[in-house]
Amino acid sequence: MHTLTEQVSTIVEELIQAGKLQPGQLIVIGASTSEVIGEHIGKHGSIDVAEALFAGINATRKKHGLAIAFQCCEHLNRALVVEREWLDKHPQFVEVSAIPVPKAGGSMAAYAFRHLDQPVLIESVQAHAAIDIGDTLIGMHLKSVAVPFRPSVRTLGSAHITTAYTRPKLVGGERAVYKADIANSLF
């Protein structure tokens, strides 16, 4: 389990660097603990795996001052567990009523709900980055435009890892400039 904690911490760290994430920005975590232990998604959740993943994710996000959202499974319509403090700062997101448990919400979301300071469930979000552990389909919770990122750790146990960060949409046409150094040279 210690290896899982170290590996997921590396993934979070690399994603933060690649996406140039800033304090206060949000990362969504979708995790199938079943897939991590080599089982079919949603069939053999593991609180032990959730605990190991949570330890690495939570420590790394706190180190960088980031917010975190843990995606529930489809039985809770992929709602997300966040801290009340974060939701209070972002009232545009809708709180919903449910308590994730391993068989309805998933082991990862259930563990997070019991170990965050003041957890609440929200319906959806538009995050700055996301980590998908075991093909849980986190894309619906990302801002436009998602940029795929390949971390050095490509699997956790048996689970496939997919990550992405977002960037603002590029607007304009052939005259548009997108880099500050080029813009400054034009004056």
Side-chain angles (χ1 to χ4, degrees):
M1 292 300 165
H2 181 70
T3 300
L4 287 177
T5 300
E6 288 178 353
Q7 289 178 323
V8 78
S9 181
T10 297
I11 293 166
V12 175
E13 193 71 50
E14 289 178 0
L15 180 59
I16 290 167
Q17 299 309 315
K20 298 177 178 64
L21 300 180
Q22 300 298 310
Q25 291 186 321
L26 181 70
I27 298 177
V28 166
I29 305 295
S32 169
T33 60
S34 298
E35 289 282 330
V36 172
I37 61 173
E39 298 293 339
H40 188 272
I41 191 169
K43 299 297 182 194
H44 297 292
S46 168
I47 292 297
D48 290 338
V49 169
E51 179 180 15
L53 296 177
F54 184 86
I57 293 163
N58 200 41
T60 307
R61 71 97 180 180
K62 282 184 173 182
K63 173 181 158 187
H64 292 278
L66 296 166
I68 200 84
F70 291 90
Q71 177 182 269
C72 294
C73 71
E74 75 277 6
H75 296 103
L76 291 184
N77 298 328
R78 302 210 189 281
L80 302 118
V81 178
V82 298
E83 293 275 12
R84 163 74 59 203
E85 180 181 7
W86 182 87
L87 180 58
D88 289 347
K89 293 176 184 174
H90 300 88
Q92 70 270 31
F93 298 110
V94 177
E95 183 177 354
V96 293
S97 294
I99 297 173
V101 297
K103 296 291 184 190
S107 294
M108 185 77 250
Y111 187 89
F113 195 87
R114 280 151 190 80
H115 290 87
L116 291 173
D117 292 333
Q118 293 183 1
V120 294
L121 212 58
I122 59 173
E123 187 172 29
S124 65
V125 76
Q126 295 295 295
H128 299 91
I131 299 171
D132 187 327
I133 302 166
D135 302 319
T136 63
L137 304 176
I138 45 79
M140 68 187 82
H141 296 302
L142 283 169
K143 293 180 173 211
S144 296
V145 171
V147 178
F149 171 70
R150 302 281 187 260
S152 63
V153 178
R154 303 296 293 273
T155 59
L156 287 174
S158 296
H160 174 252
I161 303 299
T162 302
T163 66
Y165 58 87
T166 62
R167 65 160 174 78
K169 293 179 182 180
L170 302 176
V171 296
E174 63 185 44
R175 294 189 210 177
V177 176
Y178 302 108
K179 294 186 177 189
D181 58 338
I182 295 172
N184 291 337
S185 72
L186 297 175
F187 288 94

